[in-house]
Amino acid sequence: MAQHRGLTGQSIALVAVFAGLIAASTLVPEVTLVGGVPITLQTFAIVLAGLVLGAWRALAAVTLYVLLGLVVPVYANGAVGLAVLTGPTGGYLIGFILAATVIGALAQMLARRGVLARRGVAAVSLIGVGLVSIPLVYAVGVPWLSWRLGVPILPAGCTSITDADCVSGLTIGVLPFLPGDILKVVVAGIVAAAIHRAYPGLLGSARAVTAASSPVTDETDEGARTTA
Amino acid sequence: MISLLGIYRPRRTPLHRAPVWFKMLLLVGMSITCVVVSDPVTSIGITAACLLLLASTLPPLKATLKGMGAIVVIAILTTLFQLWRGDWVRALDLAGDIIAIAALALAVSSSTSMGAMLDFVTALARPLRWLLPPETIGVMVSLTLRAIPEAAQILTESRVAARARGLDRDPRAILIPTASRTVGFALDLGQALHARGIAEHGRSAREATSSAAPRDDAAGRVLAEPPLREAHHDEGDTDASLASSPRRSRRSRR
């Protein structure tokens, strides 16, 4: 049946393992950069899922992670699910789903054009695609945050930093996180380029990867490879 | 290090006995009410009711305080900010909303077992049947639970390896091996699923032969039993099985 064609064991495994990776990235302590700046890996894992899996598998992986968070404490800081999803920062989780899907679709477009095979261009273009995720996450997360905290989205008539009008969705929900997010997207782009170099065809036909990574071929794999 | 049990404890309170859909409906309804109603008195009343509901589920103290701690800090900051603007009605209303919804969400989490919640989520996903067969969702969820410790271990090992090379401040040295081993693990897992014929070709395979269905089910069940759920079973059922086994043997003796 046509709508189940992409649903191979491999896709299921990739979706499940990446949902697990996103969950695990919130459980392990953060990575410390040069200069002692700690970064958490959650955004990295979300962007990586989009860039590596493509649109629908990334959608499934991030949705699975968010749904799993309702039951198991896998959200940031080990928080328990429902309270986070319904809380002020819940919009970011919804934004993650949207962002991973969109950059997954864009990454698939890159793969179709053969950009990922070119060594120098791949990382740069993947970073470019990954940067699209940042405004998408904020587009959902910041209005939600502002609405729940009762602050305006944009600062209005802000003169000095101690002014009450300065507190807005933009200043508390975007600016503190923006540098870290850009850094994580850059790292995710570099890592995704390495993954696509190591496993070419991950964004193309699902079968092609299995066929390429296993020495044994049968007639279905050969059929898939000729179509791929 | 990693506690995956959450704050659910098997107990016999009214909320534990209530069906999951009722609790979720209550949560959604309360969230909408909190947002729509902006009267501080109602808000405080709702907050008190939610806190009482949370207390009625007898949640584990430490985990609950940890869960509420973060949200209370956010509520206090919001309140201080609104007070600073001189809007004390808004301050009370918003703080009440935030704490009420968090308390109710925790009450639902602490009174709903993981199995019940997964069943509910699977039931919600049933309209998506044309997109994803329901048993595939079950396989995915259990594989994800299995993958979390695996991914955490890969991440930790990659970090140790990077440190051994003196590169523990270089994210690439940690994350490229992590990601590539994770993808490799997923591809191996995919081949194992493929070899067992799980979810291959989706619905067409299931409809073609009914004899294949039980085999699919059996394979799914083997995979669908993460150690976690077994732990839950042990916790919840030991008393019952211990209590019932002598009774049963007595009955058989008769």
Side-chain angles (χ1 to χ4, degrees), chain A residues 77-91:
Chain A
N77 305 324
V80 180
L82 278 170
V84 180
L85 194 59
T86 54
T89 55

Side-chain angles (χ1 to χ4, degrees), chain B residues 7-219:
Chain B
I7 69 167
Y8 170 72
R9 296 292 181 274
R11 302 227 204 284
R12 288 172 166 274
T13 69
L15 265 191
H16 278 77
R17 293 177 189 195
V20 184
W21 63 264
F22 173 75
K23 286 183 268 191
M24 296 302 280
L25 202 65
L26 187 68
L27 184 62
V28 172
M30 199 68 94
S31 307
I32 294 172
T33 315
C34 275
V35 169
V36 171
V37 177
S38 54
D39 171 34
V41 180
T42 322
S43 185
I44 289 170
I46 290 176
T47 310
C50 290
L51 285 172
L52 282 178
L53 272 178
L54 175 60
S56 82
T57 64
L58 307 173
L61 190 64
K62 210 170 149 192
T64 311
L65 287 182
K66 200 184 154 208
M68 287 298 286
I71 211 82
V72 166
V73 169
I74 293 179
I76 289 174
L77 288 178
T78 312
T79 312
L80 286 180
F81 169 66
Q82 298 292 350
L83 283 179
W84 183 33
R85 287 169 110 198
D87 196 352
W88 66 270
V89 175
R90 191 100 189 266
L92 277 180
D93 178 41
L94 283 168
D97 287 359
I98 292 172
I99 292 178
I101 295 175
L104 190 59
L106 280 177
V108 173
S109 316
S110 79
S111 66
T112 312
S113 73
M114 184 152 73
M117 192 72 99
L118 286 183
D119 287 347
F120 177 71
V121 170
T122 315
L124 271 192
R126 206 161 290 153
L128 293 176
R129 205 174 323 179
W130 56 274
L131 201 68
L132 277 176
E135 72 267 14
T136 307
I137 298 175
V139 172
M140 272 192 195
V141 169
S142 16
L143 285 180
T144 305
L145 289 178
R146 174 68 190 80
I148 293 173
E150 189 74 32
Q153 193 189 349
I154 289 175
L155 204 47
T156 314
E157 283 175 8
S158 304
R159 186 174 302 173
V160 171
R163 190 173 304 145
R165 286 177 284 148
L167 293 173
D168 58 333
R169 294 284 165 99
D170 182 359
R172 278 180 312 168
I174 301 170
L175 296 175
I176 290 182
T178 303
S180 110
R181 281 184 64 192
T182 306
V183 173
F185 172 69
L187 293 181
D188 285 349
L189 196 61
Q191 287 195 341
L193 292 178
H194 178 68
R196 285 163 182 77
I198 295 171
E200 202 69 18
H201 305 306
R203 187 184 290 169
S204 58
R206 275 185 298 140
E207 282 175 354
T209 47
S210 55
S211 64
R215 196 199 56 195
D216 261 13
D217 268 6

Side-chain angles (χ1 to χ4, degrees), chain A residues 190-216:
Chain A
I190 295 170
V191 172
I195 294 295
H196 286 303
R197 221 163 37 237
Y199 300 97
L202 209 54
L203 281 179
S205 160
R207 276 290 172 68
V209 187
T210 316
S213 62
S214 70
V216 187

Side-chain angles (χ1 to χ4, degrees), chain A residues 104-172:
Chain A
L106 292 174
Q108 273 174 322
M109 212 174 68
L110 289 182
R112 235 175 282 130
R113 298 202 175 161
V115 180
L116 299 183
R118 278 181 280 160
R119 204 190 152 103
V121 189
V124 177
S125 50
L126 281 172
I127 291 171
V129 165
L131 286 175
V132 176
S133 72
I134 296 179
L136 288 174
V137 171
Y138 289 143
V140 183
V142 172
W144 185 307
L145 182 77
S146 314
W147 171 55
R148 289 300 303 277
L149 296 186
V151 297
I153 295 176
L154 294 171
C158 175
T159 46
S160 70
I161 200 72
T162 52
D163 196 355
D165 289 331
C166 261
V167 180
S168 68
L170 196 67
T171 44
I172 61 174

